[in-house]
Amino acid sequence: MNRRDLLSSALALGGASLLPGAASAKAKPAGKFVEGTFPDGFIWGAATAAYQVEGAYREDGKGESIWDRFVLAPGKILNGDTGNVACDSYHRYAEDVALLKAMNLKSYRFSTAWTRIQADGTGPANPKGIDYYSRLTDALLEAGIRPLPTLYHWDLPQDLEDRGGWPNRDTAKRFADYADIMARALGDRIRDWSLFNESKAFTQIGYWQGAWAPGRKDPQAFFKATHTVNLAHGMGFKAMKAVNPKLQIGSVFDVSPQIASTDSDADKAAAVFMDKLSNLWFVQSVLTGAYPQGVLPADRQNEILGVLPGDDVLMRADLDFIGINYYSRTRVWDAQKPSGVPGLLLPDTEWAFGDHDKTDFGWDIYPQGFYDILKRMQAVTGNRPIEITENGAAYNIGPDAGGAIHDTKRIAYYKGHLDALSLAIHDGVPVRGYHAWSLMDNFEWAAGYSQRFGLTYVDFANGQKRTIKDSGHWYGQVAKTNRTA
């Protein structure tokens, strides 16, 4: 299953009311628009995630995560690949920092592995795990690069999964403890933090579809997991602010403009439904403490989610910034499919359609959707700063005879999306930074090492040698000049 083959959102179809703060979104700036130009002080960066790059899966007291376990199941990962070694960034982080610096980048979005900090998800911090992220932080700061860690990028401690995983609301308390540890350990040097990466993706594909860790296929467990994750947002946010109220804490949401398949009322209504379930289910709930109406049967919603009195306050978090991941658009149509939850029927969706160019992963290339979804999310999140925390494409071209990687299609992908982003900023969307996915080729979940998203080529078969691709050199010039051309 494709990484993005999941429930997605509809674009501005009138199905969602604006959240507090939306009316104060920034107005369109004055002046002539020049395509592909960015404001002074714009933050350029690149992104990775712990399980996808670190390796060292049994070193220095690290515990077993659900992905360490899941990759061992026959047939789950292409070619039987694992993240046991990945890019070996646990040992080669200094090389990775040097790559960022060579590309003139000023921000590194990475994730911390919960199992390096608490092997089983509970108890005191593992000093060796803290030391690794402390050394990485210091190396970034010395290079003039902002650390932007994400606390959870899908690698739940296996022991917590054995106790019920994300459908068990106690996991939210465990996450808050972990957040407290990280704020105390690194909050003196790191100001900006993200709580979660793509809550929609890991809950749906992990607990409903079963294609990712932990591999469960239970729609009711999925809905309970979404509520626990929302509780964990609020509880983790409050825990970190209690340590240091000056910390700037956000979270990352994967979003996609979804287009009704036809002009029929049924398809339009289906798109509105998907907007609520996919775009708003996490961000609206976290910002307001209330779920979008019209997804679950109203008389059974609390029962399905496992909501208890006071949860509206517990899960609310006035996030300081919003992380947005965008890759492509989605089409939706009314299908009335049984969901496995009594009283809930679902639309149908597809992520690649029409005669648009595709990436090597088969995803539609649709820069207009980047602009569209940013305007849509601005209506939801208001004047909170936005950071693009992921955007990129898989192209699997390798080195030529001279060792160079001429990935011209990736350059075209980035230019199209960055030009769309520059227009969105001109039109008032408060985006302050952009992180390319990814800094380097890495373990791409169920696709193993078959899909290469990196600005840097990693030779996994020959000593992990890193080579900046043509796209990385091009992106470095964008970061240096603040323009795409």
Side-chain angles (χ1 to χ4, degrees):
M1 175 170 299
N2 271 356
R3 179 182 180 194
R4 309 291 164 184
D5 186 16
L6 46 87
L7 296 178
S8 295
S9 58
L11 169 65
L13 294 173
S17 60
L18 302 186
L19 303 184
S24 58
K26 291 182 180 179
K28 179 177 177 178
K32 181 180 179 181
F33 170 62
V34 179
E35 184 178 73
T37 60
F38 292 82
D40 292 342
F42 191 78
I43 303 167
W44 296 100
T48 63
Y51 187 79
Q52 294 181 268
V53 301
E54 285 183 358
Y57 77 115
R58 286 182 175 174
E59 288 192 38
D60 292 337
K62 180 188 175 297
E64 182 186 30
S65 77
I66 56 174
W67 274 95
D68 292 323
R69 175 79 60 88
F70 186 73
V71 297
L72 301 179
K76 292 295 185 180
I77 311 298
L78 187 65
N79 299 321
D81 292 339
T82 76
N84 292 358
V85 177
C87 304
D88 197 28
S89 288
Y90 189 77
H91 301 108
R92 297 172 178 264
Y93 69 88
E95 295 178 49
D96 302 338
V97 173
L99 292 171
L100 292 158
K101 191 170 184 179
M103 286 184 261
N104 306 304
L105 303 182
K106 298 299 183 184
S107 181
Y108 182 38
R109 186 202 167 215
F110 60 97
S111 75
T112 55
W114 192 342
T115 51
R116 290 201 192 282
I117 307 305
Q118 296 173 296
D120 66 357
T122 65
N126 169 22
K128 291 185 177 180
I130 294 293
D131 180 65
Y132 168 66
Y133 293 112
S134 182
R135 286 183 281 116
L136 172 59
T137 296
D138 289 345
L140 289 166
L141 294 173
E142 185 177 347
I145 299 167
R146 176 191 65 160
L148 180 60
T150 300
L151 291 178
Y152 187 80
H153 201 125
W154 309 351
D155 45 359
L156 185 71
Q158 181 64 45
D159 282 22
L160 292 186
E161 175 59 27
D162 293 342
R163 301 179 195 185
W166 285 110
N168 176 7
R169 62 184 287 132
D170 182 67
T171 303
K173 298 178 183 177
R174 305 286 74 81
F175 177 81
D177 291 344
Y178 163 52
D180 173 86
I181 289 171
M182 296 309 296
R184 293 181 188 279
L186 298 176
D188 61 329
R189 284 160 287 165
I190 300 178
R191 187 193 74 158
D192 299 331
W193 298 77
S194 293
L195 296 167
F196 284 87
N197 179 74
E198 296 189 0
S199 301
K200 176 182 69 179
F202 76 79
T203 54
Q204 180 183 311
I205 305 181
Y207 287 96
W208 191 341
Q209 296 175 345
W212 289 352
R216 292 164 65 174
K217 295 183 178 181
D218 183 346
Q220 298 193 51
F222 156 75
F223 277 108
K224 281 190 164 53
T226 67
H227 185 57
T228 304
V229 169
N230 282 332
L231 291 172
H233 270 95
M235 295 166 70
F237 179 89
K238 294 176 182 69
M240 297 186 81
K241 288 286 190 178
V243 172
N244 183 353
K246 294 183 180 179
L247 296 181
Q248 298 293 292
I249 302 168
S251 201
V252 173
F253 305 92
D254 52 319
V255 293
S256 171
Q258 190 150 353
I259 300 163
S261 182
T262 72
D263 287 333
S264 72
D265 290 343
D267 285 349
K268 289 180 179 179
V272 169
F273 173 93
M274 291 305 301
D275 184 44
K276 295 176 181 179
L277 178 58
S278 192
N279 269 3
L280 303 185
W281 196 254
F282 293 95
V283 66
Q284 176 176 315
S285 306
V286 169
L287 293 180
T288 70
Y291 285 96
Q293 296 181 358
V295 174
L296 292 173
D299 60 342
R300 295 193 59 234
Q301 177 168 295
N302 287 353
E303 174 193 350
I304 292 168
L305 294 173
V307 174
L308 298 179
D311 280 1
D312 57 336
V313 175
L314 204 56
M315 71 181 181
R316 191 179 305 148
D318 186 13
L319 298 175
D320 295 302
F321 68 93
I322 303 294
I324 294 293
N325 292 356
Y326 171 76
Y327 287 93
S328 192
R329 62 179 182 165
T330 309
R331 179 166 62 178
V332 60
W333 61 96
D334 180 52
Q336 298 292 299
K337 294 193 308 182
S339 66
V341 175
L344 176 63
L345 299 175
L346 295 174
D348 216 339
T349 64
E350 59 182 344
W351 221 56
F353 56 94
D355 57 1
H356 286 262
D357 289 340
K358 307 286 194 293
T359 70
D360 285 356
F361 215 173
W363 302 350
D364 275 0
I365 302 169
Y366 193 63
Q368 177 64 40
F370 199 12
Y371 176 93
D372 293 343
I373 198 61
L374 285 169
K375 293 297 291 184
R376 172 72 182 102
M377 295 311 294
Q378 181 188 22
V380 174
T381 62
N383 60 0
R384 292 175 180 84
I386 291 173
E387 297 215 22
I388 307 307
T389 36
E390 289 183 29
N391 175 237
Y395 291 105
N396 301 320
I397 186 169
D400 66 10
I405 301 95
H406 303 302
D407 55 338
T408 55
K409 288 184 178 181
R410 182 175 285 106
I411 293 173
Y413 178 98
Y414 276 124
K415 186 178 188 311
H417 286 76
L418 289 174
D419 287 348
L421 175 60
S422 72
L423 178 58
I425 293 170
H426 176 80
D427 286 349
V429 183
V431 179
R432 71 184 185 193
Y434 175 94
H435 298 78
W437 183 270
S438 174
L439 174 62
M440 65 190 116
D441 299 333
N442 54 49
F443 177 85
E444 182 50 42
W445 309 113
Y449 296 97
S450 68
Q451 299 297 320
R452 292 180 177 266
F453 281 83
L455 297 166
T456 302
Y457 184 87
V458 179
D459 190 340
F460 297 106
N462 294 290
Q464 299 278 343
K465 180 182 178 183
R466 284 122 157 89
T467 303
I468 297 177
K469 304 175 185 179
D470 284 1
S471 60
H473 292 297
W474 178 85
Y475 185 57
Q477 282 299 113
V478 173
K480 182 177 181 180
T481 63
N482 237 15
R483 60 178 61 233
T484 62

